[in-house]
Amino acid sequence: MNRQSTTMKRLYEELKRIFRGYTKITSSICKRLKELNFTLVIGRKHCKVYYQNNFEHSVTIAKTPSDWRAGMNAASGLMALTAYNVDVVAA
């Protein structure tokens, strides 16, 4: 396994840990995402998340989701966002 895929796997595990049991955006979630180079723009009902200051692509997360899988869906969406940014940088 190469270094990039190992790093991505660790990032995905950390995102799953952050969003496990997700019921709302908290200050600790915001802080942990910022530590992972995500930028959050918090609106009235949703939060837009960007990765590494790439404001062309984002993931929108509900501030108070109604679905029990919202946290894992958010983690998957953020992981796809990071994978996209890695591909853009590598190209």
Side-chain angles (χ1 to χ4, degrees), residues 1-86:
M1 192 180 289
N2 64 21
R3 180 183 295 163
Q4 183 178 357
S5 64
T6 302
T7 303
M8 296 301 278
K9 184 174 172 99
R10 284 188 193 145
L11 178 61
Y12 186 56
E13 292 301 320
E14 182 63 22
L15 288 171
K16 287 194 321 189
R17 215 177 346 268
I18 290 170
F19 284 102
R20 187 165 287 124
Y22 172 69
T23 57
K24 64 180 180 176
I25 291 285
T26 62
S27 59
S28 65
I29 289 175
C30 291
K31 180 182 174 186
R32 291 170 72 187
L33 288 175
K34 287 178 184 177
E35 289 171 356
L36 295 173
N37 293 323
F38 288 96
T39 303
L40 286 84
V41 177
I42 299 175
R44 236 181 67 206
K45 294 185 179 186
H46 293 86
C47 178
K48 276 196 159 189
V49 185
Y50 303 93
Y51 186 60
Q52 293 181 341
N53 294 322
N54 178 354
F55 295 103
E56 293 179 17
H57 300 90
S58 67
V59 173
T60 303
I61 302 171
K63 284 173 69 174
T64 55
S66 59
D67 185 8
W68 66 273
R69 285 212 25 93
M72 291 301 108
N73 290 340
S76 293
L78 292 174
M79 200 58 210
L81 185 65
T82 60
Y84 176 80
N85 282 324
V86 168

